[in-house]
Amino acid sequence: MHAGDDTTPAARLQMLHTEYLQPGRGPQNERVTTSTTPAAPLRLAVYDHIKAAVDEATAHTRTVAPGAEPRPTELASLYEWVVASTAHLDTARQQARDALIYRQGLEHAILMGDTAVIRRHPCPACSTWSLFWRTERRQAICVNRHCTDGDGTSWSWTLAQIAHDHIARGLATVSRAT
């Protein structure tokens, strides 16, 4: 990841805060107020998402590293803090941390309307590039007609499963290369 990379989870979280928190940008699925009540000065769904992501990352870090330094107030530094605070953990716990961060990055992108991030991942079952995001199910669906369960139903994957698979594949590639 290099400076200016807007595809990192931290950059996406910061972009949600600076670009999508104010009304008028992003998906138009916000709660609508009546004409007698003024509109909220910010997008409540985006605010709730940012708060939940920060709270989850903080809780995870505090659970596995109770002695961690205080969390930074800048959103752009949140994930750096999580990684630095948990660098001493064993490989399995670092993998779980990385999957949490990666999943949150996918969530941030999808909230900003970028569902194509799912297409950049192979299906965990058949390894083909056949995943599509289904908003109504909040899952990725494999459209490969040969990738079905015993009943002929297409496999579907949560963002947590995709993130776990992505991180595991990355570790497998690194271990094969060394």
Side-chain angles (χ1 to χ4, degrees):
M1 290 180 257
H2 61 290
D5 185 356
D6 64 353
T7 63
T8 66
R12 287 177 177 152
L13 183 61
Q14 185 64 40
M15 188 179 299
L16 275 173
H17 182 262
T18 58
E19 303 283 331
Y20 288 80
L21 193 56
Q22 301 303 318
R25 184 123 187 226
Q28 302 299 318
N29 60 356
E30 285 296 309
R31 293 181 266 177
V32 178
T33 61
T34 65
S35 60
T36 60
T37 307
L42 51 86
R43 294 181 155 220
L44 299 175
V46 174
Y47 174 81
D48 290 344
H49 172 83
I50 292 171
K51 183 174 180 342
V54 170
D55 290 349
E56 180 185 25
T58 302
H60 174 81
T61 303
R62 293 279 179 229
T63 299
V64 297
E69 296 289 323
R71 185 193 61 174
T73 56
E74 306 84 29
L75 286 177
S77 303
L78 174 68
Y79 297 122
E80 290 174 7
W81 170 77
V82 172
V83 171
S85 298
T86 58
H88 67 283
L89 298 176
D90 60 64
T91 303
R93 287 185 180 187
Q94 286 185 22
Q95 184 177 354
R97 171 207 63 206
D98 293 345
L100 179 143
I101 293 170
Y102 194 80
R103 175 188 49 81
Q104 285 193 358
L106 293 173
E107 290 171 351
H108 305 334
I110 289 169
L111 184 60
M112 289 186 284
D114 181 10
T115 59
V117 296
I118 299 303
R119 300 278 300 132
R120 298 181 195 121
H121 297 87
C123 172
C126 68
S127 298
T128 63
W129 302 94
S130 55
L131 293 180
F132 284 87
W133 182 249
R134 294 295 182 246
T135 303
E136 66 282 356
R137 292 181 65 183
R138 297 215 30 86
Q139 291 185 325
I141 306 297
C142 181
V143 296
N144 179 346
R145 65 186 179 104
H146 301 291
C147 185
T148 58
D149 65 11
D151 296 330
T153 304
S154 296
W155 285 105
S156 61
W157 307 98
T158 64
L159 293 177
Q161 291 168 316
I162 291 170
H164 176 78
D165 184 67
H166 176 80
I167 297 301
R169 284 177 190 262
L171 288 175
T173 300
V174 169
S175 67
R176 280 195 306 264
T178 56

